[in-house]
Amino acid sequence: MLIYTDDEGHELFCRGSASEGFVTQLAETEFGTADLRYRRLDCEHISSRLYSARYLELHKHGQLIGTYMFCPQRLSVDDIEVGGTYRGLLTVAPDRQSSGAGRILVRGALDWLRQHTAGQAHITFGCIDKSNERSMRLLESMGAERLGELRSMLVYRQWTKRDDSVEIVDDARRVSVALQTEHADCGLKPLSQGTGSFYAVIRGGRLVAGARAEIVRLNVAVPGGFWSRIYGNMIDVFPPAKRRFDPRNFRYVRLHDVVATEDSAADWRALLKDILHRHGVHMAMFVMDPGRATFARLENAGLFGRFSQLTKQDICVVGNALHSASVHLPRIIERPLAVGPSDM
């Protein structure tokens, strides 16, 4: 569906699935910062991971020059349900950098979203590396505000193993109740759950530790400070670990919908090793607001050690409030966030 056109030959399309051109450009785009540059692998599976997403393509004179993705979510602010959209996978072809293509793409996408959410409280947000000031300025120039910050941290375990206490929970209602408790201290929180199996430890009929887990594969094309820190400060301490790292096929488990009760430290240590073993990897990534009580409980459990500190990245959550949702922004900004990236 064509949603925007201008006299300079630009056309913006919105599709219900990722086209071959979208996937190709995504796979060829180098993401990250000066500290860590990478390309995504398994891009052809992006549509299956992002349920009900919309894929936007910017063309000029028939040539694809930019991509963007909208992923709908149900959100809650102070127990009031609002519509939500996560924005990600923004790319601009290398030969179109600094041409204004990114501005046209973002502006056209936001205009389309405003039209399709008219009369509804709606919050749309994206996650940007804190050091990416160029993207930050672009979004803020279009009315976006900084809603808060997240921290991504990798956790490494040399030895992994299955644990009989860990099970896969298929009861969505049970997971939802546990997550509501986890999100109690947060201002903006998801009402819809993510994709992927939910692994959990249940004690005394209570879900005390759990998370969804999905494999992520990256090609770290330009090793920088990130890899130097790993090899220089961590791998030399554990020589066998050198076999665990392949920059061209960097594999880890992304954990989300995290549940960690006050007394779950031992359970989480067992859960983490089990999840890693099931997926055949040695690293897991958490992306979470460091101000959350859940983050503090995981930290107190000893999950975030030296390796996590060496690999942490700070991420800004930047959002627009559409229509009547604007009254909720102060309550969102002053409290931790329970939302996170859908595409990492």
Side-chain angles (χ1 to χ4, degrees):
M1 176 175 62
L2 179 65
I3 64 173
Y4 171 84
T5 184
D6 64 20
D7 295 336
E8 297 179 359
H10 292 105
E11 293 180 314
L12 183 59
F13 296 89
C14 180
R15 310 184 193 280
S17 60
S19 70
E20 182 177 347
F22 187 109
V23 171
T24 298
Q25 178 150 317
L26 182 62
E28 293 175 350
T29 297
E30 193 174 87
F31 292 90
T33 65
D35 203 33
L36 172 61
R37 306 295 295 174
Y38 63 89
R39 288 185 172 88
R40 298 169 181 268
L41 301 176
D42 294 338
C43 292
E44 64 274 14
H45 300 308
I46 193 73
S47 291
S48 62
R49 290 201 303 110
L50 300 174
Y51 181 71
S52 296
R54 296 293 180 184
Y55 300 87
L56 292 93
E57 298 180 3
L58 180 64
H59 294 248
K60 184 167 186 179
H61 302 309
Q63 178 185 1
L64 176 64
I65 63 172
T67 70
Y68 211 13
M69 180 274 298
F70 281 174
C71 190
Q73 297 185 353
R74 292 170 53 231
L75 301 176
S76 171
V77 182
D78 292 331
D79 297 324
I80 300 173
E81 182 172 349
V82 300
T85 300
Y86 172 78
R87 309 193 308 260
L89 305 182
L90 176 63
T91 74
V92 175
D95 61 344
R96 299 290 178 171
Q97 299 286 336
S98 303
S99 69
R103 179 173 295 274
I104 294 172
L105 179 55
V106 174
R107 184 178 62 235
L110 286 175
D111 287 345
W112 178 84
L113 188 60
R114 286 189 183 94
Q115 294 173 11
H116 283 74
T117 58
Q120 305 171 18
H122 200 93
I123 295 173
T124 172
F125 68 97
C127 297
I128 303 174
D129 190 280
K130 192 174 181 179
S131 64
N132 191 345
E133 288 297 330
R134 180 178 180 180
S135 294
M136 204 81 68
R137 287 194 299 270
L138 170 63
L139 293 174
E140 289 178 335
S141 71
M142 298 183 182
E145 297 190 42
R146 302 190 189 205
L147 304 182
E149 290 188 7
L150 307 176
R151 181 173 299 163
S152 73
M153 305 179 80
L154 281 170
V155 176
Y156 174 79
R157 291 294 181 268
Q158 177 71 21
W159 311 113
T160 67
K161 66 176 182 178
R162 288 290 297 271
D163 194 290
D164 293 338
S165 68
V166 178
E167 57 187 279
I168 296 178
V169 178
D170 296 320
D171 186 345
R173 172 63 180 168
R174 186 174 204 172
V175 175
S176 178
V177 170
L179 287 172
Q180 287 177 24
T181 301
E182 291 297 312
H183 299 161
D185 61 334
C186 298
L188 181 63
K189 40 198 161 188
L191 292 177
S192 50
Q193 298 180 31
T195 58
S197 298
F198 192 89
Y199 301 90
V201 175
I202 297 175
R203 284 194 287 107
R206 188 168 62 105
L207 200 163
V208 297
R212 297 192 188 279
E214 293 179 293
I215 283 285
V216 175
R217 295 175 56 233
L218 304 176
N219 178 351
V220 184
V222 184
F226 175 84
W227 286 103
S228 297
R229 290 198 299 272
I230 291 179
Y231 278 91
N233 295 285
M234 188 65 185
I235 294 182
D236 287 344
V237 179
F238 301 105
K242 292 181 180 179
R243 297 190 298 271
R244 312 295 192 198
F245 295 86
D246 178 3
R248 297 294 181 258
N249 184 22
F250 179 43
R251 302 173 69 248
Y252 63 88
V253 170
R254 180 177 72 96
L255 299 179
H256 54 109
D257 286 347
V258 173
V259 174
T261 62
E262 288 285 358
D263 55 349
S264 64
D267 301 302
W268 250 104
R269 289 191 287 270
L271 176 64
L272 181 61
K273 289 183 178 181
D274 182 277
I275 290 175
L276 292 174
H277 189 85
R278 289 175 190 249
H279 291 83
V281 297
H282 293 264
M283 283 176 285
M285 176 178 281
F286 292 82
V287 183
M288 193 178 300
D289 191 317
R292 287 184 57 186
T294 303
F295 184 94
R297 288 193 284 269
L298 293 173
E299 191 170 43
N300 293 336
L303 262 66
F304 304 140
R306 181 180 177 187
F307 184 79
S308 300
Q309 297 302 320
L310 293 170
T311 58
K312 69 180 180 181
Q313 302 283 324
D314 292 324
I315 300 169
C316 282
V317 179
V318 183
N320 296 73
L322 309 181
H323 318 303
S324 60
S326 59
V327 299
H328 300 302
L329 278 184
R331 291 291 293 159
I332 293 173
I333 294 170
E334 68 186 20
R335 299 166 67 189
L337 300 170
V339 297
S342 301
D343 57 336
M344 288 184 65

